[in-house]
Amino acid sequence: MKPRLLRSFTTPATIFVALAFAVGLARADAPRFNGNALPLPPQQNAPWTPPATQLSPNFLSAAQALFSLGLADPRGGEYREITVVVGSVWGESGPVQTHGWVLPGESAQRFAVCWNGLVYPLVNVGAPADLAADIQNIRLHSGAVPEAAALSQSPSLALGACLLLRLGNAAGAEKVWAATKLEAGADPFVTLASNWAWALFDRSVCAHMRGDDRLALLGARQLSVLRPKLESLAEERGGRRDFVAFLAPLPRLLADQERRAASPNAALLSPKASNSARIAALIRRLEEVRARQWGQPGGVSLNDDPIVQELVAQGEIAVGPLLQTLETDTRLTRSVAFRRDFFMHRHVIEVPEAAYAAVTAILRNYSFGSASDLIAGPQKKAALIARLRDYWATYKKVKPEVRWFATLANDKAAAAQWLQAAQNIAQRKDVERRGNWLMVPARTGVKTGLRGEELRARKKPSVSELMAKRVEEISLRAEKAEKSGVSDDFALDPANEIAECLAAWDLKAALPVLRRQFARGAKFTAARKIDGGNWGEFAGFLSRATVLRAKGGDGSALADYAAWIASVTPAATFANTTVFEPLWLYPRDEKLANVAESLFNGPKSPWNPLVSRAGPTLSQKIDLISSPLLAVPAFRRQIARLLDDATPFGSATVNAEGLLSAVVPGQQFGGSMAKSDALALAKGRKMAFRVCDMVAWKLSGVAGAPRCELYWPPTARDKGVKSAAQFLRVYGVRLQPPDAQDFDPDGGKARLVFPHLNRIASADDVQRGAAIFTLTEPGQKRITALKLPLRARRKAGKARGWIWQAEELLQKGVWRRFYGFVGPHEIVKIPVEEIELGMKDEG
């Protein structure tokens, strides 16, 4: 199936905000290495006689070979506590404390051999460390081991066995090697050499990312000499030369680091510089772009980098220089992309890729092709640039809105071009687009409306007529191909997306189009019920199309949806939360209420119960527990029933990193940081949990819901389950979908909403869940004039949440204010001095 973490575009009606799973530039306290070379350990080339050992002769010869090639020799170093700077492919970097063999010396800069077989410059040298104790705590990793893990104070790489053997510690070496569980007769050379080569490569890449250029250059130089020798040795020993295929980016990285060393980048010009000089300076600065990957699988949003943003701000006068950059520039940025952080794949993003991000954002046109074409070979690169140049030659003297209309009216344009034009026309003015993301700008005062507003006067054809025409044309083309046996699960996507753009532009005109596309989508999903191709994308469209039709007054919209959703099963693995959106937006509609009752409480429904059977659909089903479906009475009835279900369901442990690891038959999942929880299980201990525990745990993700953890002891979980049931009884009717807003700080979960009483809350209001507190103290009382709810944060603990109630009490001539606050696991009354108002909606 075509992978899509997010939709490939974003319609004006469905705005996402880019959230990175891991963000970080080099920290200010991460010093860079300023030396010209890393020292050789004192006994690097001293004779060595291996100790008596049970390790195989192949291991001994492999270790000998690696040390002769430069694997750092720990002999002569003192094993001590050390602090070194490490990096991460996610962009995080900074000093970490570990243990290593400190090289002798009296200079200000000290060095040590670390567990990954590399010499590191040190930030600090501490007390002597206990090597014997560290060897008892072996935690071996394989694959793309992160730098911080590779430098762990206990052996984390098979390579550690070589270091211990070199020190004469045969027992320790044998213990480490035994932990690899590799076959006794296998040649260890490839495993050990791969550990070493990866450590050098990863350190060089991470140093390059944070701007630690001397360290990156030294590592790249060493590795470029080492690589052919490792490949030849592997082949001589009967192995494969391509075991270091992950080093494919090395030549480019080395060349770029050599260039940086020979010609440091010039500083930016002053604000008084001419536009052309400023653009030239910004293009030179593209080598400092350091946008970070936002998830895995995921991508790097280069448009989020301030250098790219500043280039985009220059406008169309920057297009010409950027096109030149696309054609001739060979530099690298400091951004790195990867498939998964645990895969040995790294792509150091090139400057032309950043230039492409800038020029397409300036033109508001992303239909020329993928930036990957720039690195896919000369022909693809030339074709992409030719498309860009042709477009610019045709439209550079034409207003953007006219370009969009002309593209939409061009019968020979591709579907992707029609879609791009429709998106631009229907995009809100107060929303800034960056690449395939839409982000709400921080600036204020931008008028609302759509960017194509001036095109509304165009008739015969109008924008609405053209969009409707393109939807039908793309759809008929796809249906014709399907009938001829050429099936493309994604052929209808552009049509559906243009239909949503039409709804944003002219909802009335969009209704018949949405109705036809809904029928096509329902037919599509019926033919591909179980994990079939583009099922999930169509399911999401059907849900959104239903809401748009209902808003536009289409009387059959909800009935059509009810008939379709009744057939959706968990086996269609993309039947996730958004598919059910009409159920919670229209909970009082009779047809939807009936279908919800059938889905979630029907005796033969695969959705009843959600927590019953393991398998590939369990995680999707239990994710619904904290979703906006809690606004649906039928759904809440099932959750209440599950909170009474004490059937054994799975087991929980806390792993070495302090995270929950939960296992149910056929599936494993995790979450919940337990490090600072006094009730947490001891690491490694296993404890059984029940259906009700699982439900209370998932429900606790809703702001205001009581906490319940699967790793708590039974008595604590009993209390958590009881509190969860009470929460649902008192506040169930207050659970609503998040507001229809550009940014959802509730993370797509149900939101606890309190009514505006416009009076002092009573004890009865609190008891029935209509208020958070009542002022019981004697004295005059009044409500505030605040417009609620307000985002806020508790000063103690910094928990973010919402203020739903604000009342004041006159005591000794002074008005004291109290807030009703809903935050993680709490619904509480808080005095004004303990709350910070006006918190921004940060991810």
Side-chain angles (χ1 to χ4, degrees):
M1 169 177 174
K2 182 179 178 182
R4 287 193 176 185
L5 259 188
L6 292 173
R7 302 177 64 209
S8 60
F9 84 105
T10 310
T11 65
T14 312
I15 298 173
F16 295 95
V17 174
L19 295 177
F21 289 115
V23 178
L25 303 181
R27 285 165 32 185
D29 60 347
R32 298 175 182 175
F33 177 58
N34 292 316
N36 294 317
L38 294 169
L40 278 179
Q43 297 187 39
Q44 184 69 49
N45 298 313
W48 175 56
T49 301
T53 177
Q54 296 180 13
L55 291 168
S56 70
N58 275 341
F59 185 95
L60 295 177
S61 64
Q64 285 273 32
L66 294 179
F67 282 115
S68 68
L69 290 174
L71 179 67
D73 191 328
R75 293 179 298 167
E78 186 180 2
Y79 195 66
R80 301 180 70 94
E81 297 174 354
I82 57 175
T83 303
V84 298
V85 174
V86 302
S88 158
V89 74
W90 295 101
E92 299 161 332
S93 64
V96 298
Q97 293 181 338
T98 184
H99 298 166
W101 292 269
V102 179
L103 305 187
E106 300 297 332
S107 63
Q109 178 68 75
R110 303 294 302 276
F111 298 87
V113 176
C114 292
W115 278 103
N116 62 354
L118 307 185
V119 173
Y120 274 79
L122 303 181
V123 177
N124 185 55
V125 176
D130 188 341
L131 178 59
D134 285 351
I135 295 173
Q136 298 307 310
N137 190 28
I138 297 172
R139 289 188 294 169
L140 290 192
H141 299 266
S142 61
V145 183
E147 191 176 15
L151 266 63
S152 170
Q153 64 192 43
S154 298
S156 57
L157 298 173
L159 197 65
C162 294
L163 304 183
L164 291 172
L165 194 65
R166 192 73 159 181
L167 291 166
N169 190 334
E174 292 163 2
K175 184 179 178 69
V176 171
W177 187 248
T180 66
K181 299 181 180 179
L182 295 177
E183 293 182 15
D187 185 1
F189 180 81
V190 165
T191 297
L192 299 172
S194 180
N195 275 185
W196 185 26
W198 173 259
L200 261 173
F201 179 64
D202 185 52
R203 184 175 73 175
S204 298
V205 169
C206 292
H208 171 83
M209 291 175 73
R210 67 176 179 267
D212 201 342
D213 287 328
R214 293 194 180 186
L215 190 61
L217 176 59
L218 292 173
R221 283 174 174 171
Q222 180 184 359
L223 199 49
S224 65
V225 174
L226 180 64
R227 179 183 181 180
K229 297 177 181 178
L230 293 178
E231 290 173 331
S232 294
L233 271 174
E235 190 173 44
E236 288 174 14
R237 297 172 69 100
R240 294 165 48 189
R241 293 180 62 91
D242 63 354
F243 76 100
V244 287
F246 57 83
L247 294 179
L250 178 63
R252 292 294 307 276
L253 178 62
L254 175 59
D256 195 70
Q257 280 297 325
E258 296 284 10
R259 177 193 61 77
R260 290 175 188 266
S263 179
N265 192 26
L268 277 176
L269 295 179
S270 73
K272 296 181 180 180
S274 66
N275 288 339
S276 60
R278 184 176 296 108
I279 290 168
L282 285 166
I283 288 175
R284 288 198 300 274
R285 292 288 294 171
L286 284 175
E287 67 179 49
E288 296 302 322
V289 164
R290 52 184 75 200
R292 300 305 182 216
Q293 185 153 322
W294 45 261
Q296 56 180 3
V300 178
S301 182
L302 294 168
N303 298 87
D304 289 337
D305 185 89
I307 299 172
V308 175
Q309 291 176 19
E310 184 61 25
L311 266 170
V312 174
Q314 305 307 307
E316 295 188 351
I317 58 172
V319 171
L322 284 169
L323 290 175
Q324 183 68 24
T325 301
L326 286 177
E327 292 179 320
T328 62
D329 210 313
T330 60
R331 295 173 297 157
L332 301 179
T333 70
R334 296 198 189 276
S335 296
V336 173
F338 50 92
R339 297 188 184 101
R340 299 285 199 285
D341 59 2
F342 47 86
F343 289 171
M344 288 178 166
H345 164 266
R346 302 291 183 260
H347 168 56
V348 186
I349 292 175
E350 300 178 11
V351 163
E353 296 173 78
Y356 183 70
V359 74
T360 51
I362 291 170
L363 296 176
R364 296 183 180 277
N365 192 331
Y366 307 90
S367 66
F368 305 105
S370 170
S372 62
D373 288 348
L374 294 170
I375 57 173
Q379 290 184 331
K380 285 192 173 183
K381 178 177 180 178
L384 176 63
I385 295 172
R387 289 191 293 271
L388 256 169
R389 285 202 174 277
D390 288 347
Y391 179 88
W392 186 233
T394 302
Y395 291 117
K396 64 182 177 182
K397 296 182 180 180
V398 178
K399 288 180 63 177
E401 294 83 357
V402 178
R403 294 177 201 163
W404 305 336
F405 187 89
T407 300
L408 198 59
N410 181 3
D411 290 335
K412 295 183 180 180
Q417 294 172 312
W418 291 332
L419 172 58
Q420 182 70 75
Q423 289 172 340
N424 288 335
I425 291 169
Q427 184 183 319
R428 276 173 32 186
K429 290 180 179 178
D430 62 337
V431 170
E432 177 184 351
R433 181 167 185 163
R434 296 180 183 173
N436 285 334
W437 299 90
L438 286 182
M439 301 186 71
V440 180
R443 64 182 184 273
T444 58
V446 179
K447 293 182 179 180
T448 57
L450 304 182
R451 294 189 182 275
E453 288 294 343
E454 71 172 55
L455 300 175
R456 291 196 183 276
R458 297 214 174 208
K459 306 294 181 184
K460 298 182 180 180
S462 67
V463 169
S464 298
E465 290 168 339
L466 285 174
M467 287 190 187
K469 178 181 178 181
R470 299 313 176 199
V471 171
E472 192 65 14
E473 185 173 343
I474 295 169
S475 299
L476 290 174
R477 189 184 304 162
E479 289 173 349
K480 183 179 179 181
E482 182 92 7
K483 289 178 181 178
S484 67
V486 182
S487 180
D488 182 354
D489 286 345
F490 303 93
L492 279 173
D493 282 2
N496 293 339
E497 293 167 351
I498 294 173
E500 291 186 72
C501 291
L502 175 56
W505 177 258
D506 184 349
L507 183 54
K508 183 177 179 181
L511 291 179
V513 176
L514 290 169
R515 196 178 300 120
R516 285 193 298 273
Q517 294 308 108
F518 186 97
R520 286 175 170 134
K523 181 179 178 181
F524 178 97
T525 56
R528 298 163 172 84
K529 280 188 177 181
I530 301 178
D531 193 15
N534 202 19
W535 197 103
E537 185 65 24
F538 262 96
F541 168 74
L542 294 178
S543 176
R544 295 189 299 274
T546 298
V547 174
L548 290 170
R549 289 172 62 192
K551 287 181 179 178
D554 185 338
S556 63
L558 299 183
D560 290 347
Y561 172 82
W564 172 74
I565 196 65
S567 67
V568 173
T569 69
T573 57
F574 288 90
N576 54 25
T577 307
T578 57
V579 175
F580 297 105
E581 185 176 11
L583 293 182
W584 69 67
L585 289 181
Y586 303 97
R588 294 182 178 85
D589 179 84
E590 184 178 358
K591 288 186 174 64
L592 294 188
N594 289 338
V595 79
E597 182 65 29
S598 176
L599 283 173
F600 301 118
N601 298 307
K604 296 183 179 181
S605 171
W607 299 99
N608 178 30
L610 295 173
V611 183
S612 61
R613 299 172 296 274
T617 65
L618 175 66
S619 60
Q620 276 130 9
K621 290 194 294 181
I622 62 175
D623 281 347
L624 297 178
I625 291 171
S626 60
S627 76
L629 276 171
L630 287 166
V632 179
F635 185 78
R636 289 200 304 274
R637 283 193 287 276
Q638 183 185 142
I639 301 305
R641 194 165 60 248
L642 291 174
L643 285 169
D644 284 333
D645 188 343
T647 304
F649 191 67
S651 62
T653 58
V654 174
N655 65 20
E657 285 72 38
L659 295 173
L660 165 71
S661 178
V663 178
V664 297
Q667 190 166 170
Q668 181 172 347
F669 53 91
S672 299
M673 184 70 73
K675 287 182 179 179
S676 59
D677 191 341
L679 292 175
L681 288 167
K683 292 181 181 179
R685 184 185 169 194
K686 184 182 291 186
M687 182 176 291
F689 61 81
R690 306 158 299 182
V691 167
C692 55
D693 301 324
M694 169 71 78
V695 175
W697 174 57
K698 297 300 289 188
L699 188 62
S700 67
V702 175
R707 187 180 181 189
C708 185
E709 300 290 354
L710 296 181
Y711 54 70
W712 280 355
T715 53
R717 280 185 279 125
D718 285 343
K719 184 178 179 181
V721 170
K722 184 177 179 180
S723 297
Q726 175 68 5
F727 169 82
L728 203 62
R729 280 193 296 271
V730 176
Y731 298 110
V733 294
R734 305 291 175 208
L735 292 169
Q736 299 297 326
D739 284 347
Q741 51 190 359
D742 298 341
F743 185 86
D744 170 24
D746 296 306
K749 295 181 173 62
R751 186 184 191 194
L752 187 56
V753 174
F754 286 86
H756 300 288
L757 298 176
N758 293 319
R759 57 174 172 77
I760 296 297
S762 67
D764 179 66
D765 293 326
V766 175
Q767 187 174 2
R768 62 188 178 88
I772 295 173
F773 68 89
T774 182
L775 295 172
T776 58
E777 301 89 339
Q780 188 177 347
K781 304 172 182 70
R782 68 183 184 187
I783 61 173
T784 69
L786 291 175
K787 185 178 180 181
L788 302 176
L790 288 173
R791 286 285 280 164
R793 180 169 66 186
R794 294 195 68 167
K795 292 181 179 178
K798 298 184 178 180
R800 295 178 183 273
W802 295 94
I803 289 174
W804 287 96
Q805 186 179 348
E807 298 182 9
E808 294 178 334
L809 175 68
L810 186 63
Q811 291 181 323
K812 297 181 180 180
V814 177
W815 286 100
R816 290 197 63 203
R817 179 176 294 180
F818 296 89
Y819 290 126
F821 178 77
V822 175
H825 316 306
E826 62 179 1
I827 305 170
V828 292
K829 169 188 172 186
I830 300 179
V832 63
E833 58 269 18
E834 295 181 15
I835 280 286
E836 182 179 357
L837 296 179
M839 300 311 302
K840 294 181 180 180
D841 292 334
E842 300 170 357

